[in-house]
């Protein structure tokens, strides 16, 4: 049995000594999160296609879809990918083939937060911005993670004019900025970290199995936990863009504030996870002055970063137990059922004992190493966002 890794104390604060790729490769793997990330890969890859099918009241011709969307879903082609998931995609003959979502998948995908709940989520998101505003395109990139309704621009933004105002972006034609117009003095937002904070300024730490803390590293972590910082909803001055030379203490405070913002952002998401690239779009607007990927990697007791499927996905550790989400709701349960439908693939179809086969098949897909989307990521190619 291999000995657990001993992590050097310099890991948190010596980023200048390693490249980004080396930093990611050197992280301590948590296999529960790796399996969870792998299980979501087919759904993540198919998301542009799923969005297009949901927006159409009628089945769409597959050749037209292939021209409109980057259907690089699988090395064997999009048709092979679609046939792998008959419980999600309904392929219809004759030629040209048409495609739609199955009733089961469409029903699960339709589950979203109510406009009132979505407004609260969007309010908190905008309240974290230094200027209390965000580009609408950035919000669109995370609407699914935040469980916003499909029509949130109408039902949430226009439906709550006392909270939000949408204006044209003078810096970029044909884009919009979403402003928060609510009275800041009436806001009383408590960050999610306060619900489980072990001590003042501290974050709940939950290191992965086999992660051993060296004495010097433990001391550094304790010092960092006691370090004061500006909370995600506290007012801060916009960066003046001056000299980047700051003291070590100032940089550690900047880093801790970034940890607090990332923790709160992930707490607002349905599944307490998000792609790092999507979160990075908010970096300037949140006033984060450090590299966000390094923040996730440097604090493995708070976050876990997976590199499955040629994309970086970050999870909020404290919200999971052995790969299972601790706090569920209608939206997260619907998402979990949709992932299960994709994990089942073609198992149990046309079999009298289908229920038992489907249950065992879903478990096997999450555990076995022979799955195309779990261990052979070269089969799953990058899919551009719509």
């Amino acid at each position: 049995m291999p000995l657990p890794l001993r992590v050097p104390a310099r890991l948190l604060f010596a980023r200048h000594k390693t490249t980004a790729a080396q930093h990611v490769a050197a992280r301590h793997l948590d296999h529960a999160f790796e399996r969870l990330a792998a299980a979501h890969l087919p759904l993540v890859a198919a998301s542009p296609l799923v969005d297009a099918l949901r927006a159409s009241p009628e089945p769409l011709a597959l050749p037209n879809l292939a021209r409109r969307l980057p259907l690089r879903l699988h090395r064997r082609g999009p048709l092979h990918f679609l046939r792998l998931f008959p419980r999600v995609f309904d392929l219809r003959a004759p030629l040209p083939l048409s495609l739609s979502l199955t009733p089961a998948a469409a029903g699960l995908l339709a589950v979203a937060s109510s406009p009132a709940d979505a407004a609260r989520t969007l309010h908190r998101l905008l309240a974290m911005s230094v200027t209390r505003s965000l580009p609408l395109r950035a919000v669109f990139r995370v609407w699914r993670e935040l469980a916003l309704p499909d029509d949130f621009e109408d039902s949430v933004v226009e439906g709550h004019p006392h909270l939000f105002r949408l204006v044209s972006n003078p810096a970029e034609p044909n884009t919009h900025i979403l402003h928060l117009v609510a009275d800041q003095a009436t806001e009383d937002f408590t960050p999610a970290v306060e619900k489980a904070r072990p001590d003042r300024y501290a974050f709940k730490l939950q290191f992965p199995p086999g992660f051993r803390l060296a004495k010097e590293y433990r001391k550094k972590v304790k010092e960092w936990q006691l370090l004061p910082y500006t909370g995600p909803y506290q007012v801060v001055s916009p960066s003046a863009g001056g000299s980047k030379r700051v003291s070590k203490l100032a940089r550690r405070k900047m880093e801790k504030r970034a940890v607090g913002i990332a923790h709160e952002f992930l707490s607002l998401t349905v599944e307490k996870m998000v792609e790092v690239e999507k979160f990075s779009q908010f970096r300037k607007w949140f006033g984060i002055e450090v590299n966000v990927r390094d923040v996730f990697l440097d604090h493995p007791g708070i976050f876990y970063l997976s590199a499955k499927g040629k994309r970086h996905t970050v999870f909020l550790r404290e919200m999971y137990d052995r790969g299972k989400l601790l706090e569920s709701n209608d939206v997260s349960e619907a998402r979990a059922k949709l992932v299960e439908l994709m994990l089942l693939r073609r198992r149990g179809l046309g079999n009298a004992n289908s229920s038992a086969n489907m249950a065992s098949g879903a478990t096997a897909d999450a555990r076995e190493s022979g799955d195309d989307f779990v261990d052979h990521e070269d089969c799953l190619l990058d899919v551009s966002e719509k």
Side-chain angles (χ1 to χ4, degrees):
M1 180 178 179
L3 292 175
L5 269 162
R6 182 176 292 276
V7 180
R10 62 180 182 277
L11 179 63
L12 276 178
F13 309 104
R15 280 294 301 116
H16 63 282
K17 295 182 179 180
T18 59
T19 66
Q22 288 171 332
H23 199 204
V24 173
R27 76 194 189 283
H28 187 91
L29 291 179
D30 189 320
H31 296 289
F33 283 108
E34 289 296 307
R35 287 192 295 268
L36 183 61
H40 281 77
L41 286 183
L43 183 57
V44 171
S47 59
L49 174 61
V50 168
D51 290 344
L53 295 174
R54 291 190 64 199
S56 174
E58 301 293 334
L60 297 176
L62 193 58
N64 293 338
L65 273 173
R67 283 192 292 269
R68 286 173 49 193
L69 297 173
L71 297 183
R72 295 173 292 146
L73 299 169
H74 200 281
R75 187 163 57 187
R76 297 183 185 178
L79 196 58
H80 176 83
F81 178 91
L82 297 172
R83 285 172 172 165
L84 285 176
F85 308 107
R87 294 179 174 86
V88 176
F89 301 109
D90 185 11
L91 273 170
R92 302 180 186 180
L95 297 176
L97 294 174
S98 62
L99 183 68
S100 64
L101 294 169
T102 64
L108 293 172
L109 285 162
V111 179
S113 296
S114 67
D117 290 338
R120 282 191 288 271
T121 298
L122 199 54
H123 189 171
R124 295 177 78 103
L125 186 70
L126 284 160
M128 287 195 287
S129 169
V130 174
T131 60
R132 295 171 66 81
S133 61
L134 293 169
L136 186 63
R137 67 170 182 271
V139 180
F140 267 117
R141 291 294 303 277
V142 294
W143 71 271
R144 189 181 292 105
E145 286 81 354
L146 298 175
L148 301 179
D150 291 357
D151 63 341
F152 80 89
E153 194 174 350
D154 297 324
S155 61
V156 179
V157 176
E158 293 186 9
H160 297 79
H162 62 293
L163 292 177
F164 313 113
R165 183 177 76 252
L166 195 61
V167 299
S168 298
N169 184 356
E172 297 181 32
N174 302 319
T175 64
H176 294 82
I177 299 292
L178 184 61
H179 289 272
L180 186 60
V181 298
D183 183 3
Q184 194 167 357
T186 64
E187 294 172 348
D188 186 24
F189 293 142
T190 301
V193 68
E194 300 288 350
K195 299 177 183 178
R197 191 188 291 281
D199 202 352
R200 189 181 183 189
Y201 300 130
F203 287 81
K204 185 177 180 181
L205 300 179
Q206 186 176 312
F207 292 99
F211 191 99
R212 292 184 61 191
L213 301 179
K215 184 177 179 180
E216 188 181 353
Y217 181 87
R218 193 185 299 272
K219 180 182 177 181
K220 291 286 187 181
V221 170
K222 185 177 181 179
E223 291 174 353
W224 185 88
Q225 286 277 61
L226 296 174
L227 194 69
Y229 71 102
T230 305
Y233 299 115
Q234 291 178 253
V235 179
V236 296
S237 300
S239 175
S243 173
K244 294 184 179 180
R245 297 187 64 179
V246 296
S247 67
K248 182 181 291 186
L249 178 60
R251 181 158 293 279
R252 291 176 68 192
K253 287 183 177 179
M254 288 161 48
E255 178 191 297
K256 190 160 187 179
R257 178 176 175 271
V259 169
I261 291 174
H263 185 286
E264 187 68 7
F265 186 98
L266 285 166
S267 298
L268 294 177
T269 64
V270 178
E271 297 169 288
K272 316 307 175 189
M273 68 178 185
V274 70
E275 287 183 38
V276 174
E277 184 271 334
K278 292 184 179 182
F279 177 74
S280 295
Q281 293 184 105
F282 298 92
R283 177 176 176 266
K284 179 186 73 173
W285 299 85
F286 288 160
I288 296 176
E289 300 182 66
V290 293
N291 186 293
V292 293
R293 183 185 56 243
D294 293 342
V295 167
F296 299 137
L297 290 169
D298 288 343
H299 297 277
I302 303 172
F303 310 109
Y304 181 74
L305 188 141
S306 170
K308 281 284 185 183
K310 301 178 183 177
R311 53 175 50 83
H312 292 168
T313 305
V314 62
F315 298 83
L316 186 56
R317 274 194 173 279
E318 66 190 60
M319 299 307 298
Y320 283 87
D321 180 27
R322 299 178 184 179
K324 299 292 184 181
L325 195 61
L326 293 176
E327 296 180 6
S328 62
N329 53 44
D330 292 343
V331 181
S332 64
E333 289 175 0
R335 300 270 177 87
K337 290 177 181 177
L338 187 62
V339 170
E340 288 176 4
L341 287 183
M342 299 202 82
L343 284 177
L344 290 173
R345 296 198 175 190
R346 301 189 62 84
R347 290 183 176 86
L349 296 179
N351 192 320
N353 199 19
S354 60
S355 296
N357 287 342
M358 285 191 294
S360 61
T363 303
D365 258 336
R367 293 180 179 177
E368 291 178 2
S369 60
D371 191 290
D372 286 345
F373 293 102
V374 174
D375 281 352
H376 300 289
E377 290 145 351
D378 57 324
C379 294
L380 183 65
L381 304 181
D382 289 336
V383 175
S384 302
E385 286 290 336
K386 191 172 99 173

